[in-house]
Amino acid sequence: MTATEPAASDAIAADTSPQPAPGATPPRTPLIARAVAELVGTAALVAVVVGSGIQATELTEDVALQLLANSIATVFGLGVLIVLLGPVSGAHFNPAVTLAEWWTARRGGGGVNARELAVYVPSQFTGAIAGAILADAMFGEPLVKWSTHDRSAGHLLLGEVVATAGLILLIFGLAKTDRLRFAPVAVASYIGAAYWFTSSTSFANPAVTIGRAFTDTFAGIAPASVPGFIGMQLIGAVVGLALVAVIFMRGKAHIGTPAA
């Protein structure tokens, strides 16, 4: 975005150009800056999720209150991170979102190219692991201790499909309707709600899933459960893109029919 209003001719041209996908990054932003933003943003997100989970378990033994504290912290933390880093990298913090955007870019939409994909995804995974280690360090936990929290049940896997499909539908639906300015509130609110309405508590993110395997705390996931979660998240991303294509499909213009 710019601080000046575009001329009328520019506005007409903008209306016919491809609409940017969730990572609508400024073209002059260096790739290294975007990579660092994705790394730091994903690390901070995981630190919020893991750290608030640890804090909650230290303050109360009520599991409902623990989940409430964890979800509230995640909502506020994610919203702030999107506001701060969205203008730099698009604030993906999620390989599923990056892959979905790359796919839409291949089909003529705006988004990351193959080179950017190859930089974003490793940055997100590295950041997620670093964020889990940082959270453990802040609370005096072992820096790396594999989680023993098994999450392999079928209903949990279904929950991840639903959570990820909904997230992709939301983000790309906002992009299709030119409402990405609402992403900080909308995405954070969705994740907060999905903590409660999905059986898996809505990981919906392959990088975050791997990062949470490195901590044997409230937010952890056993390494053996990670492949299943990631597989379901990728399926959910495909379902989400399919829903976007159907729900937001463009109507065909009819010759001789006046515009409304």
Side-chain angles (χ1 to χ4, degrees):
M1 295 181 180
T2 60
T4 58
E5 290 295 328
S9 59
D10 293 336
I12 294 173
D15 287 340
T16 59
S17 63
Q19 292 299 308
T25 59
R28 296 186 182 87
T29 304
L31 184 55
I32 182 64
R34 284 179 273 160
V36 173
E38 285 298 301
L39 189 153
V40 171
T42 311
L45 175 59
V46 174
V48 168
V49 173
V50 174
S52 62
I54 297 173
Q55 184 79 283
T57 57
E58 291 182 353
L59 294 175
T60 179
E61 294 182 359
D62 188 319
V63 178
L65 287 178
Q66 291 171 358
L67 185 60
L68 179 63
N70 194 208
S71 62
I72 290 175
T74 302
V75 167
F76 286 123
L78 180 57
V80 168
L81 290 170
I82 295 174
V83 169
L84 176 64
L85 299 176
V88 179
S89 69
H92 295 191
F93 315 144
N94 187 336
V97 173
T98 303
L99 284 167
E101 188 181 308
W102 168 77
W103 176 256
T104 61
R106 288 181 71 250
R107 299 177 64 83
V112 298
N113 57 33
R115 177 169 174 259
E116 292 166 329
L117 174 72
V119 172
Y120 269 47
V121 172
S123 298
Q124 292 158 354
F125 281 116
T126 302
I129 295 170
I133 294 173
L134 175 61
D136 282 340
M138 287 192 292
F139 286 92
E141 299 287 338
L143 297 185
V144 176
K145 185 177 181 182
W146 300 117
S147 176
T148 56
H149 194 161
D150 179 73
R151 299 178 188 263
S152 59
H155 65 281
L156 300 181
L157 299 178
L158 176 60
E160 279 303 287
V161 174
V162 172
T164 311
L167 178 63
I168 296 298
L169 174 60
L170 170 62
I171 294 174
F172 286 82
L174 290 175
K176 286 281 190 179
T177 55
D178 193 27
R179 295 180 178 179
L180 278 174
R181 61 189 178 279
F182 298 120
V185 172
V187 173
S189 298
Y190 172 78
I191 292 298
Y195 257 83
W196 292 90
F197 79 76
T198 64
S199 56
S200 63
T201 66
S202 182
F203 284 46
N205 186 326
V208 168
T209 302
I210 287 182
R212 290 169 67 166
F214 281 72
T215 176
D216 191 20
T217 58
F218 178 79
I221 177 173
S225 301
V226 168
F229 259 50
I230 292 179
M232 295 302 104
Q233 289 158 1
L234 295 178
I235 291 173
V238 173
V239 172
L241 285 177
L243 290 173
V244 170
V246 172
I247 294 172
F248 298 99
M249 68 171 61
R250 295 180 179 178
K252 296 181 179 180
H254 296 283
I255 298 176
T257 302

